[in-house]
Amino acid sequence: MNRRSFHRAPEGERRQELIEATLDCISEFGLKGATVRQIAIRAGVTAGLVRHYFESKDQMVAEAYRAVITSLTEKAKNVEGDPTTRLRDFIAINLTEPVADSRSISLWAAFISQVRVDPVLAEIHREGYLAFRNALQDLLSEFLAAKGKPASTEECRRYAIAINGLVDGLWVEGCLAGDLFREGELVSIAMDSVEALLGLPLDN
């Protein structure tokens, strides 16, 4: 296990480093195997310093999951350009590295197994899902309006649910068996599927 060298850091930076160390350990050892001691070693600090920032391992795990969910949503929300470009980039980002890789699927598998039995993780998951879906819904609304085919809020919501499910499925396949697909193939399949669903081309 790689250990980071210790350095003095501001409170916020140190906390973020501990969250990243927590994610590293969870990815490598799973939720149960990622101990406070291992996280401290990975972060290059003492277990006592870890406890200065987090009251318990459960709190560390919750913050780590929140960081994962937030990073996915932020990457998607930060797309730029015209409505078509933003929708295309939103889809592509979620099917390419670093969102789609072996570390991401390891973290997803570790956390998702606990979402249904841990109320704190369940609420983080719910918030993250809604933020992601709402961001996609807004992109779809803007895209359809720009194409001269405006849709109601409910229609955009249903499109967002469907496309989110499509992307999720391709994401899992890409993370688990990426070598089975040609480069860019999953992104191309996603684009074709979204075009078929919306009845509109994803080009300018």
Side-chain angles (χ1 to χ4, degrees):
M1 180 169 64
N2 296 327
R3 177 171 184 158
R4 302 179 184 182
S5 59
F6 177 81
H7 67 283
R8 296 187 181 281
E11 291 275 321
E13 182 180 335
R14 175 65 72 204
R15 186 180 179 86
Q16 185 58 40
E17 288 176 349
L18 289 172
I19 289 173
E20 287 300 319
T22 302
L23 291 172
D24 287 344
C25 290
I26 291 172
S27 175
E28 188 171 345
F29 305 112
L31 280 176
K32 292 184 178 179
T35 64
V36 173
R37 180 176 179 276
Q38 286 173 329
I39 293 168
I41 291 173
R42 179 63 62 93
V45 301
T46 65
L49 186 60
V50 173
R51 294 188 182 92
H52 170 73
Y53 288 92
F54 299 97
E55 296 178 359
S56 64
K57 179 185 170 181
D58 286 346
Q59 185 188 25
M60 294 175 70
V61 168
E63 289 303 314
Y65 189 42
R66 191 185 305 279
V68 169
I69 296 296
T70 300
S71 69
L72 296 178
T73 305
E74 288 304 311
K75 285 184 177 70
K77 288 171 64 176
N78 288 335
V79 291
E80 298 179 347
D82 60 78
T84 301
T85 299
R86 281 185 281 132
L87 181 58
R88 287 181 60 87
D89 287 352
F90 181 98
I91 295 167
I93 283 171
N94 286 287
L95 292 173
T96 52
E97 294 184 356
V99 174
D101 59 16
S102 58
R103 182 175 186 266
S104 294
I105 196 69
S106 294
L107 289 170
W108 177 82
F111 285 118
I112 207 66
S113 65
Q114 295 298 307
V115 165
R116 292 188 63 83
V117 298
D118 186 316
V120 175
L121 294 185
E123 183 58 27
I124 293 171
H125 181 82
R126 176 183 171 82
E127 291 174 358
Y129 169 77
L130 289 175
F132 188 88
R133 195 189 75 193
N134 289 342
L136 176 54
Q137 182 176 325
D138 290 342
L139 287 175
L140 287 165
S141 178
E142 293 170 10
F143 168 77
L144 292 169
K147 290 290 186 178
K149 187 183 174 183
S152 68
T153 299
E154 180 58 22
E155 288 177 305
C156 291
R157 174 182 173 275
R158 290 176 63 85
Y159 282 139
I161 291 171
I163 293 171
N164 181 62
L166 166 71
V167 171
D168 273 357
L170 293 175
W171 176 82
V172 170
E173 293 300 325
C175 289
L176 289 176
D179 60 309
L180 298 180
F181 309 105
R182 293 185 293 274
E183 183 176 357
E185 185 173 18
L186 295 183
V187 173
S188 176
I189 289 171
M191 298 297 180
D192 289 346
S193 299
V194 172
E195 286 183 340
L197 177 67
L198 300 178
L200 292 167
L202 287 179
D203 55 30
N204 292 310

